[in-house]
Amino acid sequence: MTSFLSRRAFGTLLLLPLLTAPVQAAEQAVCYNCPPEWADWGTQLKMIQARLGITVPPDNKNSGQAIAAMIAEKAKPVADVVYLGGIAAGQAIDADIIAAYKPAQWDKIPADLKDPEGRWFTIHSGTLGLFVNTAALGGKPVPQSWADLKNPIYKGMVGYLDPTSAAVGQLGVMAVNLALGGSYETIDKGIGFFKDLQKNDPIVPKQTSYARVISGEIPILIDYDFNAYRGKYSDKAPVTFVIPSEGSITFPYIMGLAKNGPNPANGRKILDFVLSDESQAQWGNAFLRPVFTEKLSAEAAAKFLPAADYARAKPVDLGKLGLAQKSIVERYKSDVN
């Protein structure tokens, strides 16, 4: 009996380290404004999990909502990294919510597509235009210009993201403004266009609306080329992309390290990854233009509109656009809303 108890006690002692050892926590990080349905973030989040072993939950904020949340959470940050429309770069710096970090391959990023101190950098860009579900037009012609959107035949069919918070909505105001002869300093033409467009009962969502275009709920959306190409080539939807005849702009999307985020090491690994050859190639396969343009494969490039169409789209001046952001929001609220 004594021998049995001794053996049992000895066995229990051997098990104690297994019973009391701490459970290894899964690596995680939080990225604000990384919606799976936008810019192929769904694939990128899976790649981050597979390559880095870091779980990043999807987040459906837009740029304005991400910045507002980070400001509200300054005392106890939640985000580790943030993805923003380039127009929001200055706002993020002024709010002191992003920290300096120069990721791997930093030196290869063009100077005008990064903050010299490392607080933000471009990962890819897109060209703004018309994302159109041709089957949802009810036999009406595909619009070819900004002016066409005001035609009464498209009443209740045109959508754009809310310029009071979404970067793509703010960019839409400026794209139209510049195309119609305005400037970064004078936005009357852009504001006037959206004021006139209200007569056509536009749909103005606050969040990314890719699925609503694919379903036909929003037949025409002011949006990026990469979403339209994804719909056409990946989801086989009856959609097309138009760069308006008056012109448009190409816009960078940026990332930065959240200041005092809870998982800074993982945040830095993610920022390194999105500039890696593998990630940059995947952005290209998702029809975005990677910041390292040579990573856009010939196969993906062949699915874009011809170069002659893209000649109508000019690179945006991020500095001037950033200075105009407050005016875009305020004028839209006062003159259009």
Side-chain angles (χ1 to χ4, degrees):
M1 183 68 175
T2 302
S3 176
F4 172 76
L5 291 175
S6 298
R7 288 197 301 273
R8 185 174 183 184
F10 180 70
T12 301
L13 287 171
L14 289 177
L15 285 171
L16 278 176
L18 299 176
L19 295 173
T20 59
V23 176
Q24 184 69 35
E27 293 295 319
Q28 58 185 353
V30 172
C31 177
Y32 273 1
N33 188 23
C34 295
E37 294 298 324
W38 173 264
D40 200 40
W41 265 110
T43 299
Q44 290 285 337
L45 296 182
K46 291 175 184 175
M47 289 169 65
I48 289 168
Q49 170 71 60
R51 304 295 183 267
L52 306 180
I54 299 172
T55 299
V56 182
D59 183 84
N60 287 317
K61 296 178 185 66
N62 61 35
S63 294
Q65 291 165 342
I67 288 177
M70 292 174 76
I71 291 172
E73 295 160 359
K74 260 189 175 185
K76 191 176 181 181
V78 175
D80 298 297
V81 294
V82 63
Y83 169 78
L84 300 167
I87 192 173
Q91 187 182 358
I93 288 174
D94 291 344
D96 195 27
I97 55 174
I98 48 178
Y101 175 63
K102 296 181 179 180
Q105 305 209 74
W106 167 265
D107 292 340
K108 290 175 58 179
I109 304 172
D112 61 342
L113 294 177
K114 62 186 177 185
D115 170 52
E117 295 183 28
R119 292 169 293 187
W120 61 265
F121 58 90
T122 298
I123 60 170
H124 56 228
S125 62
T127 296
L128 201 70
L130 309 179
F131 176 14
V132 183
N133 184 320
T134 54
L137 291 179
K140 301 176 180 65
V142 174
Q144 298 296 315
S145 66
W146 297 118
D148 284 348
L149 301 185
K150 297 191 289 184
N151 189 322
I153 67 171
Y154 300 118
K155 189 167 186 176
M157 304 178 79
V158 178
Y160 60 89
L161 266 65
D162 186 354
T164 66
S165 63
V168 64
Q170 296 158 8
L171 186 69
V173 174
M174 185 57 75
V176 173
N177 183 65
L178 295 175
L180 299 184
S183 69
Y184 286 100
E185 295 76 25
T186 306
I187 61 171
D188 292 344
K189 292 195 180 287
I191 293 297
F193 173 88
F194 281 90
K195 185 175 182 178
D196 290 344
L197 189 60
Q198 301 311 298
K199 299 171 187 174
N200 250 4
D201 295 335
I203 305 163
V204 190
K206 291 185 179 294
Q207 312 297 143
T208 179
S209 296
Y210 175 83
R212 296 175 71 181
V213 179
I214 297 301
S215 71
E217 181 187 350
I218 302 177
I220 305 164
L221 184 69
I222 298 176
D223 200 6
Y224 291 109
D225 53 354
F226 53 81
N227 280 329
Y229 298 148
R230 173 190 167 196
K232 181 174 183 177
Y233 296 109
S234 299
D235 291 335
K236 310 300 182 185
V239 298
T240 192
F241 182 69
V242 176
I243 298 175
S245 59
E246 302 97 330
S248 189
I249 50 184
T250 297
F251 183 66
Y253 273 80
I254 66 170
M255 290 195 75
L257 184 69
K259 190 169 185 178
N260 300 321
N263 303 288
N266 287 348
R268 288 189 287 269
K269 289 177 184 177
I270 290 169
L271 296 183
D272 287 341
F273 180 78
V274 295
L275 288 179
S276 69
D277 290 350
E278 181 181 13
S279 179
Q280 285 285 295
Q282 180 56 39
W283 294 124
N285 291 338
F287 310 111
L288 296 112
R289 290 191 185 271
V291 68
F292 303 141
T293 55
E294 70 276 10
K295 297 303 175 185
L296 179 65
S297 69
E299 182 182 3
K303 295 175 180 176
F304 283 57
L305 289 176
D309 288 89
Y310 277 98
R312 297 195 295 275
K314 307 303 180 185
V316 73
D317 185 318
L318 272 185
K320 291 181 178 179
L321 182 64
L323 292 174
Q325 182 186 32
K326 184 178 180 181
S327 178
I328 291 171
V329 173
E330 291 178 348
R331 287 287 305 278
Y332 185 86
K333 285 180 177 178
S334 64
D335 295 14
V336 181
N337 250 357

